[in-house]
Amino acid sequence: MSTNSKKKPNSTPTLEFKSSNFSVPVLALSGDDLITIEQQLIEKASLAPDFFKNLPVVIDLQASNKLNCVIDIAELTAVIKKAGLLPIGIRGGNAQQNKQALELLIPVYSVNSATNSDEPQKQTAPDPAPETDIRDTSTMLITQPIRSGQRIYATGDLIITSQVSSGAEIMAEGNIHVYNTLRGRASAGIQGNKDARIFCFDLQAELISVAGNYKVSEDIDASIRNKPVQIYLQNQALIIQDLLQHH
Amino acid sequence: MARIIVVTSGKGGVGKTTTSAAIAMGLAKKGHKTAVIDFDVGLRNLDLIMGCERRVVYDFVNVINGEATLNQALIRDKNCNQLYILPASQTRDKDALSQEGVGKILDELKKEFKYIVCDSPAGIEKGAHLAMYYADDAFIVTNPEVSSVRDSDRMLGILSSKSRRAELNEEPIKEYLLLSRYSPDRVKLGEMLSVEDVQDILSLHLLGVIPESKSVLNASNSGMPVILDEKSDAGQAYADIVDRYLGEDRPHRFIDEDKGFFRKLFGGK
């Protein structure tokens, strides 16, 4: 910010670098038979053609390289493109694969620390994963308090058994469950899932949002505060419902 | 095994340095060799509270820069020979501290001392970050008002995500709540948050409540840690806190307003 302003441009800037997060599917390969890969890709794509058409993917070669599979990046990307997907990066490749990718102008990503375990990505060591986003769509469970200033992003559902402090921000592409007091900001269905819901034991939130429809603390009716509630969207309106009153 | 204790809060003026001085003195008086370090480079105060400001030759930054040895910089307390003070530099700023430099000094101190108390500066920037980075235990000093509580909450988040223990995925820092400048009368009038309110927001183990007390100001002015004033309520509160920290069972005091006795005690002072 400050380095920009020092330059005193005589015209208004036409570009700006911003930091932003994207959720990108990862295509994990565990074999090197391109014909099988192509068949399975086309099979998958036919299930939801709209979803897979021009879908950006990052190719994950960790597993296949561990199995000593020989994968040529040029051939592989051709197969993926043929299936209608757009490879936008690789990760977990060996030196030669990384070089090949860069020659094809495909970026090389480092393997995310959240998934650096040896075994499959699901239940790994019981580490308390603070502030990191785990790149699979399974449920994220957090048992520690979320303190003011902390941000949590879950690509699937988010379950928190401890309190969420005011000034904290929790976000999930799926549902949010807080089995304690919710004082911070909570956004469910952050990628636009209108069926996502927020559940909490004690509503004292600063802001609640489902698929971009939000209410700030001031707009939350006093009758529903400090109560166990569920929050969902109905005809574009955010409904806050007392869980104990309704059946 | 040496323990590194950070006394921190986020917010300024809540009593971090008073607390650092008191608990360091309390631990030392219990026979544990203790060092207390002032991390507030550029705004040093610990030397004043400990009454050693006229004996400062070398400081924390000199040791980090290799301009003095640790033994040259450590000042032995005049009241307790088990207690040493490492003062901050007044002529430098927080950038003079480096993570490696701090780590090296703490490693060296750990060989000789049982407890190392790190008096954190206010804020969440470099000085506060370095003060808590290597900690094993954290004393969160909070005043019973909303902004202090929120800042403490923010600091707790930083402790659980940015400390060495968090980065190495080790057992998390043990966090303790010290509620300072507590006045039961004002709680009753609704001017202050109660112990329950604060614990509800922070959900933290309460190590002790330190009452609002004239004795704290008197102690600061005379350069004697308030824990040495054994007759004062604040001094007793800190003594209880040290005992509880060391695993002894002490019932909580100074929470209810029926302590007219103490007010009389101070009325006479």
Side-chain angles (χ1 to χ4, degrees), chain A residues 88-108:
Chain A
I88 59 158
I90 70 163
R91 70 174 189 186
N94 56 34
Q96 212 220 320
Q97 288 169 331
N98 289 349
K99 189 168 162 262
Q100 242 189 325
L102 289 173
E103 280 166 6
L104 293 162
L105 301 179
I106 294 176
V108 175

Side-chain angles (χ1 to χ4, degrees), chain A residues 127-128 130-131 144-150 163 165-166 183 206, chain B residues 150 153-154 156-157 160-162 169 172 175 200-204:
Chain A
D127 47 8
E131 289 197 328
Q144 262 136 341
I146 312 295
R147 302 290 184 182
S148 187
Q150 287 186 304
Q163 61 171 4
S165 294
S166 80
R183 294 192 178 91
E206 295 169 332
Chain B
R150 174 180 284 188
D153 194 59
R154 177 87 171 98
L156 286 162
S160 63
S161 60
K162 304 265 165 65
N169 241 327
E175 301 156 344
D200 187 39
I201 299 172
L202 293 179
S203 54
L204 209 57

Side-chain angles (χ1 to χ4, degrees), chain A residues 173-185:
Chain A
E173 292 177 20
N175 304 300
I176 293 176
H177 304 252
V178 180
Y179 296 106
N180 210 308
T181 309
L182 171 60
R183 294 192 178 91
R185 297 164 160 251

Side-chain angles (χ1 to χ4, degrees), chain A residues 107-120:
Chain A
V108 175
Y109 295 99
S110 65
V111 175
N112 190 297
S113 59
T115 53
N116 63 356
S117 55
D118 295 330
E119 300 304 307

